[in-house]
Amino acid sequence: MSTTFTINSATSRANPVSAPMKRLTVPAVRDRKAKIAAGTGEPLVMLTAYTVRMAQLMDPHCDLLLVGDSLGQVIYGLPSTVPVTLEMMAAHAAAVVRGSYHAVVVVDMPFGSYEASPQQAFESAAYLMKQSGAAAVKLEGGVAMAPTVAFLSERGIPVMGHVGLTPQAVNALGGYGARGRSQAEADKIVGDARAVAEAGAFAVVIEGVVEPIAIEITNTVAVPTIGIGASAQCDGQVLVAEDMLGLFERVPRFVKRYGDMAGFVAERAQAYAAEVRSRAFPTDEQTYAPR
Ligand code: KIV
């Protein structure tokens, strides 16, 4: 993947000035499926982003940035994604759109904002897109949500599906364990993915399933699959950025930690605290002298 913009790190809290570049589009993401099948396309790269600075840093490397409702736990310390609101999603999605120039920004529809009816889903999705400028929404569910996926897609709202382990249903599922260990459950997940793909979803996230399910879905649906705890054979992968960066000591089995952000932050905070207490900080270098 080639990108051409440079981040203006001098204005780390403002919009970076970008060289002209074209943002990837939803059709280009959908078309990646055929390119991957033909051996001419790379797997799709998606990471979560909730803030402008993280978006700035990850955007050049990602095809998609997901403003996931996982922000409930990661940013707000909530026990699950269930309490996350539309307003929270809209505010973070707007920040991520401001911080990105290349990736397709997808925003999660939070629990309770779309399940009641296709009309409710349309109003919530339109609100999220108007408030943030995100290009697409993601919603959880399969067969039961297919009419909603069709309703939104037919009205110009690109929808990413999400099947398998669907965290908004944690109270019904009883936990976050991998799904699809029985044949009946495996068949249901495959049916769910097919239903949302056939209803018009432009891509489908497959989360936390035993691997053959992810492979079967990837081999049979016409749109890209994006795996998380699924299979290397999916058409792309997604992780929660803070998990991947090592901000948390404990991560699920499917997460690879590419760094130790928790250790990095804790060590620097400790060093800073020691220097403040010993009056080693600030020095003349960080102090304004009279003119
Ligand atoms: O909310 C989220 O971050 C997600 C990803 C884990 C797929 O839905």
Side-chain angles (χ1 to χ4, degrees), residues 48 66 68-70 108 138 162 205 207 228 238 240:
T48 60
L66 172 65
D69 60 355
S70 50
D108 258 340
K138 175 166 81 59
H162 184 156
V205 167
E207 176 167 0
I228 172 164
V238 58
V240 169

Side-chain angles (χ1 to χ4, degrees), residues 21 26 44 61 70 73 91 119 142 163 173 195 212 218 230 236 272:
M21 69 177 300
V26 164
L44 290 159
H61 310 288
S70 50
Q73 291 108 314
Q119 285 78 4
V163 301
L173 298 176
T218 300
Y272 167 75

Side-chain angles (χ1 to χ4, degrees), residues 78-275:
L78 294 169
S80 73
T81 56
V82 171
V84 172
T85 65
L86 264 182
E87 289 72 21
M88 288 156 82
M89 295 310 302
H92 285 276
V96 170
V97 170
R98 285 195 292 273
S100 61
Y101 295 86
H102 164 259
V104 174
V105 177
V106 182
V107 53
D108 258 340
M109 299 191 66
F111 177 71
S113 72
Y114 62 95
E115 300 89 334
S117 67
Q119 285 78 4
Q120 183 208 23
F122 183 86
E123 279 160 30
S124 299
Y127 171 81
L128 286 175
M129 293 174 78
K130 279 173 191 273
Q131 294 292 315
S132 68
V137 298
K138 175 166 81 59
L139 56 82
E140 296 181 7
V143 171
M145 282 299 127
T148 297
V149 172
F151 191 88
L152 298 184
S153 307
E154 285 158 9
R155 285 159 180 78
I157 297 183
V159 181
M160 178 177 279
H162 184 156
V163 301
L165 171 61
T166 47
Q168 292 175 10
V170 62
N171 291 307
L173 298 176
Y176 295 103
R179 314 302 303 171
R181 294 201 185 277
S182 73
Q183 192 57 49
E185 197 173 75
D187 291 345
K188 180 178 180 322
I189 295 168
V190 172
D192 282 340
R194 287 190 183 144
V196 292
E198 282 162 19
F202 72 93
V204 181
V205 167
I206 308 173
E207 176 167 0
V209 297
V210 293
E211 190 179 20
I213 296 175
I215 296 173
E216 185 178 346
I217 295 171
T218 300
N219 289 340
T220 53
V221 299
V223 297
T225 58
I226 302 182
I228 172 164
S231 171
Q233 292 187 42
C234 288
D235 301 306
Q237 300 293 328
V238 58
L239 283 177
V240 169
E242 285 75 0
D243 283 347
M244 178 275 287
L245 293 167
L247 191 59
F248 302 106
E249 284 74 17
R250 287 191 60 237
V251 287
R253 169 196 162 89
F254 56 79
V255 173
K256 179 170 174 184
R257 292 168 100 245
Y258 287 83
D260 176 23
M261 204 168 156
F264 183 91
V265 172
E267 275 171 32
R268 271 70 191 175
Q270 190 181 26
Y272 167 75
E275 290 200 357

Side-chain angles (χ1 to χ4, degrees), residues 3-7 16-22 101:
T3 55
T4 52
F5 82 87
T6 5
I7 287 174
V17 179
S18 64
M21 69 177 300
K22 211 170 172 307
Y101 295 86

